């Protein structure tokens, strides 16, 4: 191999190893954060009906937000023909 090709292959390997290390670090950090959060949830005493109630409220809020998004999109689509672009010089 010529020196140029060898140099390119070597740099690609180094970047691949660096990417692997970064991804491994991200996975470990996420795992640590999830473990910490799980320990906090267990320690908070949030059990049974409380967590179900919170999940239902979050689901209702999400459904309302999605519904509003679709309604706004439908209104914009229906009135889009009536909108006039600003006067351009």
């Amino acid at each position: 191999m010529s020196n140029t090709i060898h140099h390119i292959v070597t740099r690609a390997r180094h970047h691949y190893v660096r990417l692997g290390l970064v991804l491994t670090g991200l996975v470990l950090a996420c795992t640590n954060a999830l473990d910490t959060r799980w320990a906090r949830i267990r320690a908070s005493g949030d059990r049974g009906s409380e967590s179900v109630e919170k999940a239902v409220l979050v689901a209702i809020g999400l459904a309302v937000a999605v519904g509003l998004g679709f309604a706004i999109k439908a209104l914009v689509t229906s009135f889009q023909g009536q909108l006039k672009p600003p006067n351009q010089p």
Side-chain angles (χ1 to χ4, degrees):
M1 270 196 261
S2 68
N3 284 338
T4 304
I5 294 174
H6 182 68
H7 183 64
I8 291 171
V9 170
T10 304
R11 282 191 341 189
R13 285 183 183 154
H14 285 288
H15 287 301
Y16 179 73
V17 169
R18 188 177 295 165
L19 177 64
L21 289 173
V22 167
L23 290 177
T24 302
L26 285 174
V27 168
L28 290 175
C30 289
T31 304
N32 187 28
L34 285 173
D35 186 42
T36 304
R37 183 177 173 127
W38 181 251
R40 242 185 296 143
I41 289 172
R42 280 191 319 239
S44 72
D46 189 14
R47 300 273 192 264
S49 63
E50 291 178 6
S51 57
V52 171
E53 181 181 341
K54 288 177 187 176
V56 169
L57 290 175
V58 168
I60 290 171
L62 183 60
V64 168
V66 169
L68 281 173
F70 279 120
I72 291 171
K73 184 177 178 182
L75 282 173
V76 168
T77 303
S78 66
F79 290 118
Q80 195 165 16
Q82 298 176 7
L83 296 174
K84 295 180 182 178
N87 294 334
Q88 297 177 354

